[in-house]
Amino acid sequence: MKLLCVAGARPNFMKIAPILREMKKHQSLQPKLVHTGQHYDNKMSDVFFKELQIPAPDIHLNVGSGTHAEQTAEIMKRFEAVVLQEKPDWVVVLGDVNSTLACSVTAAKLHVPVAHVEAGLRSYDRTMPEEINRLVTDAIAEVLFTTEKSGNENLIKEGKPESQIYFTGNVMIDSLVFAKPQINRSQVSTDLKLPDKSYCITTLHRPSNVDDPKTLAKIFEIFDTIQNKLSVVFPIHPRTRKMIETFGLSDKVSKMKNLRLMDPVGYFDFVSLTAHAKMAITDSGGLQEETTYLGVPCLTMRENTERPITIEVGTNTLVGSDEQLIYSKVDEIIKGTYKNGSVPELWDGRAAER
């Protein structure tokens, strides 16, 4: 069976690594890795290939950045030529990035069946580009692998037959379990002189948070208050850094003594920083999952999440940009009265195998 496995952006790399490792154990499978190049620099791409032992891509589309329409169209154009040449039996896509949507639509129009890993997640917020990508991909896919039971329920509500849906668990957690020895050896918090549980790890990149000057200014007001109680460590997405400069917030940010902006770090170091943090503040889907697995309190600066299990079972709380809610939850975390989470069903490092 000939498979084209598509990865394009940082979240995909953690998901594809365990799947490719597992596929190697089956002689009947012939996977080829297609890197669309949606994330293309060393800090957002190459370092993950190295650390997670992902083989060099068999095919690289070298798409690069652009608007949603430009990027999606360019991936479709280049991927179509690959599908016509390779004639795969299946196309395997992951997650909810533009590469996921573009390659699914292209494959379906060429009558190649699509398998979607991490299917069925829904925020019910169609202003998020990822939600559109998820809806379209799931509508097209013929096999759907889910990370949590809400995924199964959503797909069934949308008319997908149960025979196409497989609850397999979370391949993101497979990567974390696989990399635990290297994560445990990371000295990043020592090198940064960050005592254990003395800081808040932060990631922010969603347009709703970083593309509006008022919203971004308000977020840094919140960080200014938090950094008086707890250091804030912020491996900053290139896009977010650019917006700080564009909106004239650089001076304000530089005056916060306990806010540490740093370049994005590799997978081992980032998960190590997360594991040793007192708490996390994020708008990332992946960090909601990783903190839940690691038992680290997480406050998500969004009005909704497509990963409800991280709230129902895990350590996550949706706080939006509600300052009072954020401050009260930070106080709970510092005092030790915040909720205890547990690890969701099948988040055990064996999802790729299933």
Side-chain angles (χ1 to χ4, degrees), residues 14-291:
M14 281 91 92
K15 292 164 195 168
I16 201 69
I19 293 169
L20 290 173
R21 262 197 309 277
E22 195 59 37
M23 283 178 172
K24 275 186 187 169
K25 298 176 187 174
H26 301 270
Q27 288 184 340
S28 60
L29 299 180
Q30 290 181 309
K32 280 196 174 182
L33 176 58
V34 180
H35 187 339
T36 65
Q38 186 180 329
H39 278 170
Y40 47 87
D41 68 2
N42 178 52
K43 288 174 181 145
M44 302 295 278
S45 174
D46 299 357
V47 67
F48 292 91
F49 277 74
K50 186 176 156 193
E51 291 188 342
L52 294 170
Q53 298 171 29
I54 305 169
D58 298 283
I59 297 153
H60 205 310
L61 303 185
N62 292 304
V63 166
S65 55
T67 67
H68 285 287
E70 287 166 346
Q71 202 173 57
T72 303
E74 199 57 46
I75 294 168
M76 289 176 78
K77 191 169 86 176
R78 296 185 191 194
F79 188 61
E80 182 179 56
V82 171
V83 175
L84 290 169
Q85 186 180 328
E86 296 290 335
K87 299 183 172 54
D89 296 299
W90 284 84
V91 166
V92 180
V93 297
L94 311 110
D96 55 17
V97 297
N98 287 342
S99 301
T100 311
L101 167 81
C103 294
S104 301
V105 172
T106 304
K109 288 196 171 189
L110 294 172
H111 311 295
V112 177
V114 173
H116 185 201
V117 177
E118 200 184 80
L121 297 179
R122 296 288 178 270
S123 67
Y124 295 98
D125 178 0
R126 292 199 181 192
T127 66
M128 286 174 65
E130 296 90 343
E131 184 76 353
I132 304 301
N133 293 346
R134 287 189 284 263
L135 284 161
V136 174
T137 301
D138 286 340
I140 287 166
E142 294 192 26
V143 171
L144 302 124
F145 298 109
T146 60
T147 59
E148 57 174 273
K149 290 284 180 66
S150 76
N152 295 47
E153 291 157 12
N154 292 332
L155 291 167
I156 287 162
K157 266 188 231 159
E158 288 166 17
K160 284 290 185 183
E162 283 190 55
S163 59
Q164 291 183 354
I165 304 166
Y166 299 85
F167 174 42
T168 51
N170 193 337
V171 287
M172 277 272 286
I173 303 305
D174 289 22
S175 275
L176 201 158
V177 171
F178 172 78
K180 255 189 177 168
Q182 291 91 337
I183 292 164
N184 292 340
R185 282 199 293 272
S186 167
Q187 294 295 303
V188 66
S189 48
T190 308
D191 294 345
L192 293 170
K193 297 183 172 56
L194 291 167
D196 205 37
K197 305 297 176 189
S198 70
Y199 60 93
C200 165
I201 186 84
T202 297
T203 69
L204 290 172
H205 70 279
R206 292 198 182 276
S208 56
N209 279 328
V210 304
D211 284 8
D212 179 72
K214 281 186 184 169
T215 306
L216 194 59
K218 183 180 177 184
I219 286 169
F220 278 104
E221 292 283 350
I222 292 167
F223 287 166
D224 198 9
T225 303
I226 293 171
Q227 58 105 32
N228 290 317
K229 302 177 182 186
L230 206 60
S231 293
V232 177
V233 178
F234 193 168
I236 192 162
H237 194 285
R239 192 157 169 274
T240 310
R241 191 183 281 279
K242 184 180 149 197
M243 292 304 181
I244 290 170
E245 289 163 16
T246 304
F247 299 148
L249 295 169
S250 300
D251 282 353
K252 180 186 178 64
V253 169
S254 65
K255 285 175 185 161
M256 297 182 205
K257 288 180 184 167
N258 291 322
L259 172 67
R260 193 176 304 193
L261 295 190
M262 53 193 283
D263 287 337
V265 293
Y267 180 69
F268 300 156
D269 284 346
F270 183 76
V271 179
S272 176
L273 276 173
T274 304
H276 291 284
K278 182 78 171 171
M279 60 172 289
I281 292 182
T282 191
D283 58 13
S284 145
L287 192 52
Q288 293 173 57
E289 295 178 329
E290 287 158 345
T291 47

